[in-house]
Structures are given as structure tokens and as C-alpha cells.
Amino acid sequence: KDESLKGIAPYKLEFLQALVFESQSLKKEQMMPFLMSIAKRGMDQHISFSNDEIETITATIRNYSSPEELDKIDKLMKLRKK
């Protein structure tokens, strides 16, 4: 556990961890349907993240990411801001 995540509710971190594990084996064309189902699951479970939580999680993930992963994170964050 990263100390910087201590302010985020454990159930939210567990939700994210499940998302990571479930998405590891997906092909590129499977990602959008998967993300849509995750969004619905989050809504059904009343899980949402504040902008501060998203920034904290993203910053923490970036600390452990390869250059390729950093590029993907940057692209996702740009999509989020649109």
C-alpha cells in the first residue's frame, strides 16, 4: 500500500484493484465495452471518485509506471478532461 492513498476509502481502492485485475487480459477492442460495464458497476454500487482522488490515484500509479504506461495514462487523462 502506498501511503499517499491513505485518504481514499478502502472500498474504492478495492474497486480499482478489481478493475486492474479484470482488464489485464483484455484486447484493445475489448477495452471500451469493459470500461462501459465498469462505469455501470460503479454507478450501481454508488462508487464515485472526486477530482482530488483521481489526481492522487493517477499520481501514485505514475510513480510505478513504464514510459508506455505513462503515455496511456496521459491519453486517458486527456479524454477525461474533455
Side-chain angles (χ1 to χ4, degrees):
K1 286 192 171 188
D2 192 294
E3 192 65 23
S4 62
L5 299 175
K6 69 181 177 184
I8 300 174
Y11 73 92
K12 290 182 178 184
L13 296 175
E14 290 169 9
F15 178 81
L16 289 176
Q17 185 174 3
L19 172 119
V20 170
F21 288 133
E22 291 174 28
S23 68
Q24 285 180 336
S25 62
L26 296 178
K27 296 177 183 171
K28 188 175 183 178
E29 61 273 3
Q30 296 172 307
M31 284 306 289
M32 188 55 72
F34 173 74
L35 292 173
M36 297 301 288
S37 72
I38 287 296
K40 182 177 179 346
R41 189 184 324 170
M43 288 176 19
D44 291 347
Q45 295 177 12
H46 305 288
I47 296 174
S48 63
F49 296 88
S50 70
N51 285 334
D52 286 344
E53 288 173 325
I54 292 169
E55 293 298 327
T56 299
I57 292 165
T58 304
T60 302
I61 292 170
R62 291 177 73 78
N63 290 334
Y64 303 97
S65 299
S66 69
E68 295 82 18
E69 291 167 330
L70 290 172
D71 186 49
K72 289 179 184 177
I73 291 168
D74 290 339
K75 288 177 184 175
L76 284 172
M77 294 307 286
K78 286 179 187 174
L79 287 174
R80 179 181 164 267
K81 292 182 181 179
K82 287 186 179 182

